[in-house]
Amino acid sequence: MLLCDFMAALIAAAEKGAKVAKIVRAENTLLQLLVQEKEGKEKNDRFIQDFKTLADVLIQEMVRHDLSLKFPGLEENVYGEESNCFTNTDGKSVVVQLCPTPKETASLLKEVLDGNEKAATILSETLHEQVDVSVDEALQSQQQEVAVEDVGVWIDPIDSTAQFIRGQTGAPNNDGIVDEGLQCVTVLIGAFDKQSGQPIAGVCVQPFASWDTETQQWLHDKTWSVCYKGVSLSSVKPSSSNKHSIIISSSESDDVKQKLSRKFTLYSAAGAGYKILSAAWGHVDGYVLSRPTIYKWDCCAPHAVLLSLGGGIVPFTDIDLIHGADQLNQVQYQFSSNEGGNSVPGVIAYRSKDVLSDIIQCFQNGT
Ligand code: 2IP
Ligand code: CA
């Protein structure tokens, strides 16, 4: 496959995923399914998983379907956060996937939507819709051949699911950072080289990037990058200005916060993908997470963006034993079938090597 065709397909899939996320929140029938708190007997006890997971799974399976149709052979190397197998309380399983026609997909979805014909039809029509996307000229000229068998894909269909369900509108601070709200939601599709484990491309879409007061609708925003065999391209324009600020998870430990405060101002926000992108966009210099609550599907796509800008992501392990940034290897993305094998033991995401060195110094004894 040609690199430009692969990127066009990733962009189309991510934009369609963002459209599904927006429709799930805009269509009242679907929204009720999404936000209803399923307690006790009201819970749709036909299926253990609930609609929140179904929205995730539908986007993931749509991306898998569309990429596999365009690039035969890729399907066995497309990985996602969610399992697409829904089991009911009688142990009956329904594998959620796109069928050859919208009609067949709708009837399958009705099975996991408790017979809700309207919801099943709305979702199926959106999942099967052809979306045309405009691809940046710089990408159109990338005619390099990429071997399908060399590439793996990680999908995070809806990152920051909690903010997606809450549905609040966040307020950006002076640096453009939203600490919580729909703006923190991202659809992440990252591609990596199976041999080296390194990211080669990433497409990140914010379905709810900004609210259009005229049309009373959410506008989406897209960030893409390529870092493949010497080609570094991104929709983000490089900028050298350091903010001397770091973004962290709201659940970060006091000890890590105290050490980072030696050199940086700290902000917190929801969304692992959103935080890594905040570093790539230059809202902050980096993102630090000291615990293994992040996964390869969260990191792969925005990691490609940082790499294309001269930054990167290294694991946050044994940081006090490190004597220099050069000792650290980038996070790698080969799929692991081991339990917990696709989690990442904490991250340091950085815009430049200088920022990485400054972050490491915060943790060195005595500095
Ligand atoms: C979550 C989501 C959370 C993040 C967690 C991710 O992904 O990005 O926001 O926690 O690490 O796994 P935090 O907000 O503390 O950074 P998902 O929403 O897809 O489960
Ligand atoms: Ca996630």
Side-chain angles (χ1 to χ4, degrees):
M1 64 187 171
L2 296 183
L3 182 57
C4 53
D5 294 338
F6 184 50
M7 284 305 291
L10 293 183
I11 289 170
E15 295 224 1
K16 198 158 97 173
K19 187 171 181 180
V20 172
K22 281 204 274 192
I23 284 181
V24 167
R25 282 218 58 90
E27 282 288 339
N28 205 38
T29 311
L30 300 174
L31 185 59
Q32 290 319 309
L33 284 167
L34 179 72
V35 298
Q36 74 190 30
E37 286 305 315
K38 297 172 183 171
E39 305 295 339
K41 63 181 183 335
E42 290 135 47
K43 184 169 164 47
N44 163 9
D45 57 9
R46 287 191 57 218
F47 291 95
I48 298 164
Q49 296 90 339
D50 62 20
F51 185 74
K52 304 177 187 62
T53 311
L54 179 61
D56 267 326
V57 166
L58 287 176
I59 292 173
Q60 177 182 292
E61 292 312 305
M62 177 274 293
V63 172
R64 184 195 310 278
H65 169 268
D66 289 5
L67 291 181
S68 310
L69 220 52
K70 283 185 187 140
F71 309 109
L74 185 63
E75 57 273 11
E76 55 253 28
N77 295 310
V78 175
Y79 310 109
E81 175 174 3
E82 309 283 354
S83 155
N84 65 341
C85 182
F86 279 64
T87 46
N88 70 15
T89 43
D90 307 329
K92 178 177 180 298
S93 293
V94 176
V95 176
V96 172
Q97 56 194 354
L98 266 67
C99 303
T101 66
K103 200 166 165 30
E104 291 167 286
T105 300
S107 61
L108 183 144
L109 290 181
K110 261 177 70 179
E111 280 196 66
V112 289
L113 288 170
D114 239 359
N116 189 325
E117 177 103 30
K118 183 170 185 222
T121 307
I122 295 168
L123 281 171
S124 173
E125 283 168 1
T126 310
L127 292 166
H128 281 270
E129 198 179 325
Q130 291 306 315
V131 291
D132 296 321
V133 290
S134 62
V135 176
D136 199 290
E137 269 175 40
L139 279 179
Q140 288 175 20
S141 60
Q142 301 305 321
Q143 303 287 320
Q144 301 89 323
E145 185 60 38
V146 183
V148 169
E149 61 276 10
D150 291 351
V151 172
V153 174
W154 278 106
I155 305 166
D156 190 342
I158 298 179
D159 184 56
S160 208
T161 313
Q163 297 303 320
F164 176 59
I165 291 159
R166 276 185 68 226
Q168 303 299 306
T169 301
N173 71 7
N174 296 335
D175 288 300
I177 299 166
V178 174
D179 60 353
E180 56 181 22
L182 285 168
Q183 294 96 324
C184 299
V185 173
T186 55
V187 176
L188 305 169
I189 306 179
F192 63 94
D193 178 281
K194 283 163 57 186
Q195 192 64 38
S196 68
Q198 284 301 288
I200 59 174
V203 179
C204 315
V205 178
Q206 277 178 289
F208 313 98
S210 56
W211 178 255
D212 184 332
T213 48
E214 279 199 15
T215 61
Q216 292 289 299
Q217 286 191 332
W218 282 102
L219 301 174
H220 72 277
D221 196 16
K222 157 174 89 243
T223 299
W224 58 262
S225 279
V226 171
C227 39
Y228 180 67
K229 292 188 176 171
V231 173
S232 274
L233 290 172
S234 179
S235 57
V236 178
K237 298 301 159 250
S239 71
S240 55
S241 66
N242 281 348
K243 298 262 184 174
H244 301 293
S245 60
I246 293 291
I247 199 162
I248 58 173
S249 160
S250 53
S251 63
E252 189 51 81
S253 71
D254 290 341
D255 175 55
V256 166
K257 283 193 255 187
Q258 185 268 325
K259 286 175 175 162
L260 284 171
S261 300
R262 292 171 176 165
K263 286 181 178 281
F264 297 99
T265 304
L266 303 185
Y267 296 104
S268 75
Y274 176 75
K275 288 191 277 287
I276 302 171
L277 286 167
S278 296
W281 294 328
H283 292 165
V284 290
D285 297 339
Y287 160 42
V288 172
L289 176 74
S290 64
R291 289 189 286 219
T293 57
I294 193 167
Y295 301 87
K296 291 174 183 174
W297 53 77
D298 291 311
C299 298
C300 187
H303 189 169
V305 182
L306 282 172
L307 282 177
S308 71
L309 298 167
I313 301 182
V314 295
F316 184 99
T317 42
D318 304 334
I319 190 152
D320 50 342
L321 305 178
I322 294 157
H323 300 293
D326 299 337
Q327 279 191 10
L328 288 165
N329 295 319
Q330 295 292 311
V331 171
Q332 297 189 348
Y333 294 93
Q334 290 95 337
F335 174 76
S336 166
S337 53
N338 301 330
E339 179 65 29
N342 296 307
S343 78
V344 179
V347 294
I348 303 177
Y350 56 93
R351 299 185 70 234
S352 71
K353 276 283 176 63
D354 291 347
V355 169
L356 176 59
S357 299
D358 284 349
I359 291 171
I360 291 171
Q361 279 177 32
C362 292
F363 294 89
Q364 303 298 307
N365 297 332
T367 52

mmCIF file of all heavy atoms in Angstrom, residues 24-56:
data_model
loop_
_atom_site.group_PDB
_atom_site.id
_atom_site.type_symbol
_atom_site.label_atom_id
_atom_site.label_comp_id
_atom_site.label_asym_id
_atom_site.label_seq_id
_atom_site.Cartn_x
_atom_site.Cartn_y
_atom_site.Cartn_z
ATOM 1 N N VAL A 24 -23.860 9.710 18.690
ATOM 2 C CA VAL A 24 -24.323 9.018 19.909
ATOM 3 C C VAL A 24 -24.737 10.032 20.956
ATOM 4 O O VAL A 24 -25.691 9.849 21.709
ATOM 5 C CB VAL A 24 -23.235 8.068 20.447
ATOM 6 C CG1 VAL A 24 -23.563 7.601 21.861
ATOM 7 C CG2 VAL A 24 -23.071 6.868 19.513
ATOM 8 N N ARG A 25 -24.057 11.183 20.978
ATOM 9 C CA ARG A 25 -24.423 12.205 21.958
ATOM 10 C C ARG A 25 -25.540 13.113 21.461
ATOM 11 O O ARG A 25 -26.288 13.691 22.233
ATOM 12 C CB ARG A 25 -23.201 13.058 22.348
ATOM 13 C CG ARG A 25 -22.255 12.377 23.327
ATOM 14 C CD ARG A 25 -21.678 13.355 24.349
ATOM 15 N NE ARG A 25 -22.711 14.005 25.104
ATOM 16 C CZ ARG A 25 -23.208 13.520 26.254
ATOM 17 N NH1 ARG A 25 -22.764 12.395 26.750
ATOM 18 N NH2 ARG A 25 -24.155 14.157 26.898
ATOM 19 N N ALA A 26 -25.697 13.197 20.162
ATOM 20 C CA ALA A 26 -26.696 14.150 19.624
ATOM 21 C C ALA A 26 -28.088 13.517 19.522
ATOM 22 O O ALA A 26 -29.105 14.173 19.725
ATOM 23 C CB ALA A 26 -26.239 14.637 18.259
ATOM 24 N N GLU A 27 -28.101 12.200 19.231
ATOM 25 C CA GLU A 27 -29.397 11.526 19.043
ATOM 26 C C GLU A 27 -29.968 11.118 20.393
ATOM 27 O O GLU A 27 -29.357 10.280 21.090
ATOM 28 C CB GLU A 27 -29.207 10.255 18.192
ATOM 29 C CG GLU A 27 -29.055 10.514 16.726
ATOM 30 C CD GLU A 27 -30.376 10.945 16.094
ATOM 31 O OE1 GLU A 27 -31.446 10.668 16.686
ATOM 32 O OE2 GLU A 27 -30.326 11.549 15.019
ATOM 33 N N ASN A 28 -31.090 11.659 20.779
ATOM 34 C CA ASN A 28 -31.609 11.418 22.122
ATOM 35 C C ASN A 28 -31.799 9.933 22.423
ATOM 36 O O ASN A 28 -31.473 9.461 23.519
ATOM 37 C CB ASN A 28 -32.935 12.161 22.314
ATOM 38 C CG ASN A 28 -33.132 12.432 23.817
ATOM 39 O OD1 ASN A 28 -32.158 12.728 24.523
ATOM 40 N ND2 ASN A 28 -34.336 12.232 24.296
ATOM 41 N N THR A 29 -32.262 9.183 21.414
ATOM 42 C CA THR A 29 -32.468 7.732 21.624
ATOM 43 C C THR A 29 -31.177 7.074 22.083
ATOM 44 O O THR A 29 -31.138 6.280 23.008
ATOM 45 C CB THR A 29 -32.895 7.077 20.282
ATOM 46 O OG1 THR A 29 -33.940 7.834 19.728
ATOM 47 C CG2 THR A 29 -33.299 5.632 20.474
ATOM 48 N N LEU A 30 -30.079 7.460 21.419
ATOM 49 C CA LEU A 30 -28.775 6.836 21.736
ATOM 50 C C LEU A 30 -28.227 7.409 23.039
ATOM 51 O O LEU A 30 -27.654 6.704 23.868
ATOM 52 C CB LEU A 30 -27.798 7.080 20.587
ATOM 53 C CG LEU A 30 -28.212 6.522 19.228
ATOM 54 C CD1 LEU A 30 -27.233 6.951 18.144
ATOM 55 C CD2 LEU A 30 -28.320 5.005 19.290
ATOM 56 N N LEU A 31 -28.444 8.716 23.220
ATOM 57 C CA LEU A 31 -27.904 9.356 24.426
ATOM 58 C C LEU A 31 -28.505 8.727 25.674
ATOM 59 O O LEU A 31 -27.798 8.437 26.641
ATOM 60 C CB LEU A 31 -28.206 10.864 24.391
ATOM 61 C CG LEU A 31 -27.602 11.701 25.523
ATOM 62 C CD1 LEU A 31 -26.080 11.574 25.537
ATOM 63 C CD2 LEU A 31 -28.008 13.156 25.375
ATOM 64 N N GLN A 32 -29.815 8.451 25.606
ATOM 65 C CA GLN A 32 -30.461 7.836 26.784
ATOM 66 C C GLN A 32 -29.817 6.486 27.093
ATOM 67 O O GLN A 32 -29.549 6.165 28.243
ATOM 68 C CB GLN A 32 -31.972 7.666 26.530
ATOM 69 C CG GLN A 32 -32.731 8.991 26.501
ATOM 70 C CD GLN A 32 -32.256 9.955 27.575
ATOM 71 O OE1 GLN A 32 -32.169 9.587 28.750
ATOM 72 N NE2 GLN A 32 -31.921 11.182 27.193
ATOM 73 N N LEU A 33 -29.533 5.744 26.028
ATOM 74 C CA LEU A 33 -28.882 4.431 26.250
ATOM 75 C C LEU A 33 -27.501 4.626 26.866
ATOM 76 O O LEU A 33 -27.063 3.890 27.727
ATOM 77 C CB LEU A 33 -28.744 3.695 24.917
ATOM 78 C CG LEU A 33 -30.007 3.067 24.342
ATOM 79 C CD1 LEU A 33 -29.785 2.674 22.892
ATOM 80 C CD2 LEU A 33 -30.405 1.855 25.173
ATOM 81 N N LEU A 34 -26.826 5.695 26.409
ATOM 82 C CA LEU A 34 -25.439 5.915 26.845
ATOM 83 C C LEU A 34 -25.387 6.341 28.299
ATOM 84 O O LEU A 34 -24.591 5.840 29.077
ATOM 85 C CB LEU A 34 -24.794 7.001 25.971
ATOM 86 C CG LEU A 34 -23.351 7.372 26.311
ATOM 87 C CD1 LEU A 34 -22.403 6.244 25.906
ATOM 88 C CD2 LEU A 34 -22.954 8.666 25.602
ATOM 89 N N VAL A 35 -26.269 7.264 28.671
ATOM 90 C CA VAL A 35 -26.070 7.886 29.986
ATOM 91 C C VAL A 35 -26.925 7.254 31.070
ATOM 92 O O VAL A 35 -26.719 7.503 32.241
ATOM 93 C CB VAL A 35 -26.351 9.403 29.926
ATOM 94 C CG1 VAL A 35 -25.375 10.065 28.981
ATOM 95 C CG2 VAL A 35 -27.779 9.683 29.540
ATOM 96 N N GLN A 36 -27.886 6.380 30.654
ATOM 97 C CA GLN A 36 -28.752 5.844 31.718
ATOM 98 C C GLN A 36 -27.904 5.039 32.687
ATOM 99 O O GLN A 36 -27.062 4.251 32.292
ATOM 100 C CB GLN A 36 -29.886 4.999 31.131
ATOM 101 C CG GLN A 36 -29.420 3.649 30.622
ATOM 102 C CD GLN A 36 -30.505 2.944 29.834
ATOM 103 O OE1 GLN A 36 -31.343 3.591 29.213
ATOM 104 N NE2 GLN A 36 -30.460 1.638 29.842
ATOM 105 N N GLU A 37 -28.072 5.361 33.960
ATOM 106 C CA GLU A 37 -27.338 4.601 34.965
ATOM 107 C C GLU A 37 -28.055 3.265 35.132
ATOM 108 O O GLU A 37 -29.223 3.223 35.466
ATOM 109 C CB GLU A 37 -27.348 5.372 36.300
ATOM 110 C CG GLU A 37 -26.416 6.576 36.292
ATOM 111 C CD GLU A 37 -25.008 6.176 35.907
ATOM 112 O OE1 GLU A 37 -24.497 5.156 36.430
ATOM 113 O OE2 GLU A 37 -24.424 6.863 35.029
ATOM 114 N N LYS A 38 -27.376 2.209 34.848
ATOM 115 C CA LYS A 38 -28.046 0.906 34.924
ATOM 116 C C LYS A 38 -27.805 0.304 36.303
ATOM 117 O O LYS A 38 -26.765 -0.239 36.575
ATOM 118 C CB LYS A 38 -27.510 -0.001 33.828
ATOM 119 C CG LYS A 38 -27.855 0.589 32.470
ATOM 120 C CD LYS A 38 -27.201 -0.159 31.369
ATOM 121 C CE LYS A 38 -27.517 0.512 30.053
ATOM 122 N NZ LYS A 38 -26.718 -0.060 28.983
ATOM 123 N N GLU A 39 -28.795 0.548 37.150
ATOM 124 C CA GLU A 39 -28.662 -0.001 38.513
ATOM 125 C C GLU A 39 -29.658 -1.135 38.692
ATOM 126 O O GLU A 39 -30.773 -1.071 38.189
ATOM 127 C CB GLU A 39 -28.995 1.100 39.558
ATOM 128 C CG GLU A 39 -28.177 2.378 39.401
ATOM 129 C CD GLU A 39 -26.703 2.121 39.652
ATOM 130 O OE1 GLU A 39 -26.367 1.104 40.308
ATOM 131 O OE2 GLU A 39 -25.874 2.915 39.143
ATOM 132 N N GLY A 40 -29.240 -2.131 39.411
ATOM 133 C CA GLY A 40 -30.188 -3.175 39.840
ATOM 134 C C GLY A 40 -31.057 -3.716 38.708
ATOM 135 O O GLY A 40 -30.580 -3.958 37.613
ATOM 136 N N LYS A 41 -32.372 -3.786 38.973
ATOM 137 C CA LYS A 41 -33.234 -4.495 38.015
ATOM 138 C C LYS A 41 -33.401 -3.701 36.715
ATOM 139 O O LYS A 41 -33.711 -4.252 35.670
ATOM 140 C CB LYS A 41 -34.606 -4.831 38.638
ATOM 141 C CG LYS A 41 -35.463 -3.648 39.036
ATOM 142 C CD LYS A 41 -36.768 -4.129 39.645
ATOM 143 C CE LYS A 41 -37.723 -2.996 40.020
ATOM 144 N NZ LYS A 41 -37.123 -1.712 40.296
ATOM 145 N N GLU A 42 -33.141 -2.326 36.752
ATOM 146 C CA GLU A 42 -33.302 -1.573 35.487
ATOM 147 C C GLU A 42 -32.205 -1.950 34.494
ATOM 148 O O GLU A 42 -32.311 -1.733 33.315
ATOM 149 C CB GLU A 42 -33.174 -0.057 35.719
ATOM 150 C CG GLU A 42 -34.332 0.564 36.479
ATOM 151 C CD GLU A 42 -33.783 1.484 37.525
ATOM 152 O OE1 GLU A 42 -32.885 2.280 37.177
ATOM 153 O OE2 GLU A 42 -34.227 1.385 38.666
ATOM 154 N N LYS A 43 -31.079 -2.499 35.090
ATOM 155 C CA LYS A 43 -29.963 -2.783 34.190
ATOM 156 C C LYS A 43 -30.446 -3.731 33.100
ATOM 157 O O LYS A 43 -31.218 -4.650 33.352
ATOM 158 C CB LYS A 43 -28.845 -3.463 35.010
ATOM 159 C CG LYS A 43 -27.582 -3.727 34.221
ATOM 160 C CD LYS A 43 -26.462 -4.140 35.165
ATOM 161 C CE LYS A 43 -25.306 -4.776 34.401
ATOM 162 N NZ LYS A 43 -24.896 -4.022 33.204
ATOM 163 N N ASN A 44 -30.014 -3.467 31.882
ATOM 164 C CA ASN A 44 -30.367 -4.364 30.789
ATOM 165 C C ASN A 44 -29.582 -5.658 31.009
ATOM 166 O O ASN A 44 -28.474 -5.825 30.531
ATOM 167 C CB ASN A 44 -29.967 -3.687 29.467
ATOM 168 C CG ASN A 44 -29.918 -4.671 28.338
ATOM 169 O OD1 ASN A 44 -30.343 -5.828 28.503
ATOM 170 N ND2 ASN A 44 -29.405 -4.239 27.204
ATOM 171 N N ASP A 45 -30.198 -6.540 31.837
ATOM 172 C CA ASP A 45 -29.360 -7.652 32.289
ATOM 173 C C ASP A 45 -29.240 -8.739 31.221
ATOM 174 O O ASP A 45 -28.768 -9.824 31.475
ATOM 175 C CB ASP A 45 -29.899 -8.234 33.601
ATOM 176 C CG ASP A 45 -31.332 -8.676 33.449
ATOM 177 O OD1 ASP A 45 -31.802 -8.677 32.288
ATOM 178 O OD2 ASP A 45 -31.959 -8.992 34.467
ATOM 179 N N ARG A 46 -29.666 -8.373 29.981
ATOM 180 C CA ARG A 46 -29.412 -9.371 28.918
ATOM 181 C C ARG A 46 -27.933 -9.392 28.570
ATOM 182 O O ARG A 46 -27.409 -10.379 28.113
ATOM 183 C CB ARG A 46 -30.230 -8.997 27.666
ATOM 184 C CG ARG A 46 -31.714 -9.258 27.834
ATOM 185 C CD ARG A 46 -32.429 -9.124 26.506
ATOM 186 N NE ARG A 46 -31.855 -10.036 25.520
ATOM 187 C CZ ARG A 46 -31.697 -9.708 24.230
ATOM 188 N NH1 ARG A 46 -32.049 -8.511 23.807
ATOM 189 N NH2 ARG A 46 -31.175 -10.568 23.383
ATOM 190 N N PHE A 47 -27.278 -8.254 28.775
ATOM 191 C CA PHE A 47 -25.848 -8.233 28.455
ATOM 192 C C PHE A 47 -25.052 -7.640 29.608
ATOM 193 O O PHE A 47 -25.453 -6.653 30.207
ATOM 194 C CB PHE A 47 -25.595 -7.436 27.176
ATOM 195 C CG PHE A 47 -26.145 -8.145 25.979
ATOM 196 C CD1 PHE A 47 -27.400 -7.842 25.496
ATOM 197 C CD2 PHE A 47 -25.438 -9.182 25.408
ATOM 198 C CE1 PHE A 47 -27.935 -8.538 24.419
ATOM 199 C CE2 PHE A 47 -25.960 -9.890 24.327
ATOM 200 C CZ PHE A 47 -27.214 -9.569 23.834
ATOM 201 N N ILE A 48 -23.947 -8.292 29.888
ATOM 202 C CA ILE A 48 -23.124 -7.842 31.013
ATOM 203 C C ILE A 48 -22.502 -6.489 30.689
ATOM 204 O O ILE A 48 -22.516 -5.573 31.483
ATOM 205 C CB ILE A 48 -22.021 -8.896 31.303
ATOM 206 C CG1 ILE A 48 -22.686 -10.216 31.701
ATOM 207 C CG2 ILE A 48 -21.060 -8.398 32.378
ATOM 208 C CD1 ILE A 48 -21.766 -11.404 31.631
ATOM 209 N N GLN A 49 -22.034 -6.361 29.422
ATOM 210 C CA GLN A 49 -21.460 -5.059 29.078
ATOM 211 C C GLN A 49 -22.631 -4.092 28.813
ATOM 212 O O GLN A 49 -23.707 -4.525 28.454
ATOM 213 C CB GLN A 49 -20.615 -5.143 27.798
ATOM 214 C CG GLN A 49 -19.398 -6.030 27.921
ATOM 215 C CD GLN A 49 -19.712 -7.470 27.527
ATOM 216 O OE1 GLN A 49 -20.879 -7.881 27.544
ATOM 217 N NE2 GLN A 49 -18.712 -8.212 27.158
ATOM 218 N N ASP A 50 -22.412 -2.819 28.956
ATOM 219 C CA ASP A 50 -23.530 -1.895 28.752
ATOM 220 C C ASP A 50 -23.281 -1.021 27.523
ATOM 221 O O ASP A 50 -22.307 -1.189 26.825
ATOM 222 C CB ASP A 50 -23.711 -1.033 29.997
ATOM 223 C CG ASP A 50 -22.477 -0.191 30.241
ATOM 224 O OD1 ASP A 50 -21.707 0.006 29.275
ATOM 225 O OD2 ASP A 50 -22.244 0.232 31.368
ATOM 226 N N PHE A 51 -24.166 -0.120 27.267
ATOM 227 C CA PHE A 51 -24.131 0.633 26.011
ATOM 228 C C PHE A 51 -22.874 1.481 25.890
ATOM 229 O O PHE A 51 -22.350 1.714 24.822
ATOM 230 C CB PHE A 51 -25.375 1.515 25.882
ATOM 231 C CG PHE A 51 -25.436 2.215 24.549
ATOM 232 C CD1 PHE A 51 -25.763 1.520 23.394
ATOM 233 C CD2 PHE A 51 -25.131 3.569 24.430
ATOM 234 C CE1 PHE A 51 -25.808 2.153 22.147
ATOM 235 C CE2 PHE A 51 -25.181 4.218 23.193
ATOM 236 C CZ PHE A 51 -25.518 3.499 22.051
ATOM 237 N N LYS A 52 -22.357 1.923 27.046
ATOM 238 C CA LYS A 52 -21.127 2.735 27.003
ATOM 239 C C LYS A 52 -20.063 1.963 26.219
ATOM 240 O O LYS A 52 -19.394 2.468 25.352
ATOM 241 C CB LYS A 52 -20.616 2.997 28.412
ATOM 242 C CG LYS A 52 -21.617 3.658 29.339
ATOM 243 C CD LYS A 52 -20.997 3.803 30.728
ATOM 244 C CE LYS A 52 -21.980 4.306 31.741
ATOM 245 N NZ LYS A 52 -23.135 3.411 31.955
ATOM 246 N N THR A 53 -19.921 0.680 26.576
ATOM 247 C CA THR A 53 -18.905 -0.145 25.911
ATOM 248 C C THR A 53 -19.287 -0.369 24.462
ATOM 249 O O THR A 53 -18.434 -0.356 23.574
ATOM 250 C CB THR A 53 -18.790 -1.491 26.640
ATOM 251 O OG1 THR A 53 -18.665 -1.238 28.030
ATOM 252 C CG2 THR A 53 -17.584 -2.269 26.151
ATOM 253 N N LEU A 54 -20.585 -0.486 24.189
ATOM 254 C CA LEU A 54 -21.022 -0.733 22.809
ATOM 255 C C LEU A 54 -20.624 0.432 21.910
ATOM 256 O O LEU A 54 -20.128 0.220 20.792
ATOM 257 C CB LEU A 54 -22.538 -0.941 22.758
ATOM 258 C CG LEU A 54 -23.110 -1.189 21.352
ATOM 259 C CD1 LEU A 54 -22.521 -2.456 20.735
ATOM 260 C CD2 LEU A 54 -24.630 -1.293 21.386
ATOM 261 N N ALA A 55 -20.755 1.656 22.409
ATOM 262 C CA ALA A 55 -20.373 2.814 21.585
ATOM 263 C C ALA A 55 -18.890 2.726 21.236
ATOM 264 O O ALA A 55 -18.480 2.909 20.084
ATOM 265 C CB ALA A 55 -20.674 4.106 22.347
ATOM 266 N N ASP A 56 -18.076 2.374 22.246
ATOM 267 C CA ASP A 56 -16.624 2.191 21.994
ATOM 268 C C ASP A 56 -16.395 1.115 20.936
ATOM 269 O O ASP A 56 -15.674 1.292 19.959
ATOM 270 C CB ASP A 56 -15.959 1.696 23.287
ATOM 271 C CG ASP A 56 -15.414 2.814 24.147
ATOM 272 O OD1 ASP A 56 -14.954 3.827 23.578
ATOM 273 O OD2 ASP A 56 -15.436 2.676 25.371
#
